[in-house]
Amino acid sequence: MEDYVLEAKGITKRFPLAGVIALSNISFHVKKGEILGLIGENGAGKSTLLKILNGVYTYGNYEGELFHEGRPVRFRSSHDAMKQGLGYVPQEINVMEDLTVAENVFVGHLNEDSRKKSFRMGELNRRAQRFLSEHHFALDPAQVVNTMSIGQKQLLMVAKAISWNPSILVLDEPTTALSQADVENLFAIVRQLKSKGTSVIFVTHKLEEIFELTDRVTILRDGKVINTYGRDQYDRDRIICDMVGREITNLYPERHVAIGEEILKVEHLTVLDPRIQNRNIVEDVSFTLRRGECLGFVGLVGAGRTETISALFGCYRDYSAKVAINGQPVEIRSEADAIAHGINILTEDRKMNGLLLLNNIRFNVVMSNLKKIMNSNGLLSRTKEDEESNKYMRKLHIKAPSNTMMVANLSGGNQQKVVMAKALHSDPRILLLDEPTKGIDVGSKQEIYEIINELLGEGISIIMISSELPELIGMCDRFIVLSHGKLVAEIDKEEATQETLMSACFM
Amino acid sequence: MTEQKARSDALVKFFLTPEVTSIIPVVVVAVAATVLNPIFLRSSNLLTLASSLIASWGLLAIGQSFIIISGGLDISIGTTLSFAGMLFCFLARSYQPLFLCILAVVAVCLTMSMLNAMLILKFNVTPFVATMSVSYVSKGLANVVNYGADMSLAYGVRDSVLRFCDVFSVKPLGVSIGAFTFIFLILFSQFILQKTAFGRKIYAVGDNPRVARIAGIRVARVRAACFLISGLLTALTTILWVGYYSGCTPTQGNPWSLITIAAASMGGISLKGGTGSMFGLLCGVILMALVYNLITLLNVDANIQNIFIGVFLVLSLVLDTIRREKTLGKNI
Ligand SMILES: Nc1ncnc2c1ncn2[C@@H]1O[C@H](COP(=O)(O)OP(=O)(O)OP(=O)(O)O)[C@@H](O)[C@H]1O
Ligand SMILES: [Mg+2]
């Protein structure tokens, strides 16, 4: 009993305004120096539970009791929780974009010793450097955050949480945006913390990570604890079954699609770096895409994958390329141009580029194509809007009481599904998918793969980016490997294995 | 215990609906007005209220709301009105024909609103700073026209202008043309916001321009269109106003930039953009008009008005934050 660092008893959390009971009567504990995995479907209540543990939802906003090192605790704020030893890295990226890494890490510590009224930048950077290298973070203290990749921002958030020397570190889906190398880096950091006696709660949708890292795993479904297994009882199928309530035999469903004629031809695509002068983020990339084909973009973070498809979608001003669709040369100068040519995109960062957070599910889904919900008189039809959005809510299993739920209140994975629904609603001929299954649970992943297959069957062509190689290998017909903004290899499905693709990245 | 909590939560939700939050103070102020001065309830006073107060600046508030919902702000509409009004009078007193005066007003208002739009959309100036600067230009110009003095249209103008003034001060059914226009435009604007693709785009652009752009919306065009609408409504107000008062002063419109913002904000149109409705605005406009009327009836110092505008603006901003937290949770 004493070696429970954290214990929760009978936690219930309701969101009455939305009519949602997110957690019902949850009890669980974390032992000292233990890594506890927490998994469950999208909307199962993982993030909500973590927010309670970390004082985001303060005492009084939930039912039940929390015990920290045997003592009951009632956090008044997340800062309060942090000071009492609970480190928290939320699911959504939340950093100060215009500050440096060092400032981001230490901004909360600056008023610690109030005797010192001022501090020097150089000293702060040195302190940050010492801290970062001690924990093996590959981050530059002087770098301004808005020039960093999502993966680096994610690591920065972890660093910031660790800087408070927490007795428990809570990580909510920290690996969704990380490259393979960064994931390993993070795991090393977590193991080092564990060896020093820190406990970790680790949320993920990737079972491999549970198997590799955690000592125990607790499975949530519909706001309830379904089961907890120790490391020696780990069993893939059983865990999945506990999670989604059914078996998943074939994650990447088979597809029988005849690939047709060439739809898209991109030649000599070059994109200037919008931040650094006289540098290209994409250089002389040429590729083609055929009807009903799924083309995978492979590369490390910073290889220029996202930039390539963004350029194709008209997001950049300074780019040059010869683009032809169905053999006709086209000029794409804006997102609206791209959409007019039948191209649509699912963006990587849902909070920044994907969702209208002040609006509800319905509004977001239909936004990508308003013509589809118009009556013959050119006015928007509420009926059609409901039909369309409900269709996608069913198809993608978006978990919400109704289509009028605010997207800001959805769980991360369900938000991602809304972004997916939005892309599908636009009826594209060419669909660009940037990390389409980011933060999505296994069951829904399989459903999304099935939808992708359906689209390909209808003759839609897809370009897919994913940091999960198995997903790319499972779904794509052909691969293009990018490295430092240049195309370094083109690989066919037959030759594609994790090894060949990875080694191509380093060519 | 929990059932009680659920009920109180439902109550909170109800009271945070923008229309409700702005209706309540309307009722409170109306009751206070009746108690403090029974004249308030006389039909003649209510008509004055409807015509001169709501009508005269309600149109400005509609334009302002379009801009705010699309993510902007315009603190120059009042001074633009002053300048355009003075120019109207100047031309009329120079024996220019009526249509020329009207044309000048439209031209001035559209130019100013396009200037704002260009500064904000092309040169990336924040709306507050851009429109503040433009407001100083028009403020100055309004004073230049007649060396800072008022102008009357009661004499020294063409007959057509005299007749024009007559028409606009006549009140069919006791309520001026402006009030009808206002109610009509509230309904029409709400229709645009709710039922047309353009309206949808306005909300989307105000919510998150980046996401809107990726959805294929030409963001700058939508936002510029909102400025244009506001410019047209400012022109219309100027014309109605000059006719109604048979003249203009160089500071006639100046306070109204802020009052329209306060009315929109009180009506639940968030100054952060992307939310709100014209029905909410209607409530906000009525509220501000009532407060004004009450101040006049009680013979309080006119400067007190400013205190009220400020207080209501602050109050509405606080409400906006609470509303956001309650409806969007801690996720944003
Ligand atoms: N502020 C809120 N208002 C209403 N409902 C909410 C709010 N926050 C969360 N919910 C609901 O609570 C449930 C649990 O959400 P939570 O974010 O905890 O899920 P999760 O397990 O983290 O899922 P994911 O894997 O998708 O991140 C969801 O159905 C969600 O819609
Ligand atoms: Mg979550």
Side-chain angles (χ1 to χ4, degrees), chain A residues 124-157:
Chain A
L124 193 69
N125 282 347
R126 271 195 299 282
R127 215 170 118 194
Q129 184 63 62
R130 224 178 305 125
F131 166 76
L132 291 171
S133 48
E134 183 189 333
H135 291 277
H136 308 290
F137 282 101
L139 295 170
D140 170 11
Q143 191 174 5
V144 177
V145 171
N146 63 23
T147 62
M148 306 201 310
S149 70
I150 301 187
Q152 286 174 308
K153 289 179 192 170
Q154 183 73 53
L155 286 179
L156 170 61
M157 298 212 307

Side-chain angles (χ1 to χ4, degrees), chain B residues 71 83 97 102 106 117 136 142 153 163 172 183 213 259 266 282 321:
Chain B
F83 172 47
I102 291 178
V106 175
Y136 268 77
L153 297 179
R163 256 178 283 128
I183 296 299
R213 189 170 298 122
I259 298 171
M266 262 328 278
L282 179 61
T321 304

Side-chain angles (χ1 to χ4, degrees), chain A residues 37-47 91-92 171-177 187 202-211 214 217-221 236 239-240 243-244 248 251-252 350 411-417 437-446 449 468 471:
Chain A
L38 193 60
I39 59 173
E41 279 183 303
N42 297 131
K46 303 177 296 292
S47 301
Q91 185 170 3
E92 303 296 331
L171 304 172
D172 196 352
E173 298 192 32
T175 57
T176 42
F187 281 10
F202 186 86
V203 175
T204 183
H205 286 294
K206 297 172 190 163
L207 282 171
E208 295 73 31
E209 295 177 356
I210 293 284
F211 296 147
T214 61
V217 64
T218 290
I219 300 149
L220 288 187
R221 188 165 84 218
R236 186 186 186 89
I239 291 178
I240 290 183
M243 260 169 78
V244 300
I248 291 194
L251 183 57
Y252 304 106
R350 59 177 171 256
S411 80
N414 284 301
Q415 288 182 346
Q416 183 69 21
K417 291 179 189 176
T437 61
K438 182 173 160 187
I440 284 189
D441 66 54
V442 231
S444 308
K445 259 188 190 169
Q446 192 193 32
Y449 298 146
E468 277 181 74
E471 172 173 280

Side-chain angles (χ1 to χ4, degrees), chain A residues 15 18 20-23 40-49 51 57 91 172-173 203 205 220 399-401 405 408-415 439 441, chain B residues 327-331:
Chain A
F15 293 103
V20 174
I21 300 181
L23 299 173
E41 279 183 303
N42 297 131
K46 303 177 296 292
S47 301
T48 306
L49 181 59
K51 284 180 192 168
Y57 298 127
Q91 185 170 3
D172 196 352
E173 298 192 32
V203 175
H205 286 294
L220 288 187
K399 193 179 167 193
M405 174 119 167
N409 293 338
L410 290 175
S411 80
N414 284 301
Q415 288 182 346
D441 66 54
Chain B
T327 53
L328 301 178
K330 302 207 170 180
N331 303 314

Side-chain angles (χ1 to χ4, degrees), chain A residues 292-304:
Chain A
E293 183 183 39
C294 183
L295 175 65
F297 276 19
V298 187
L300 306 173
V301 174

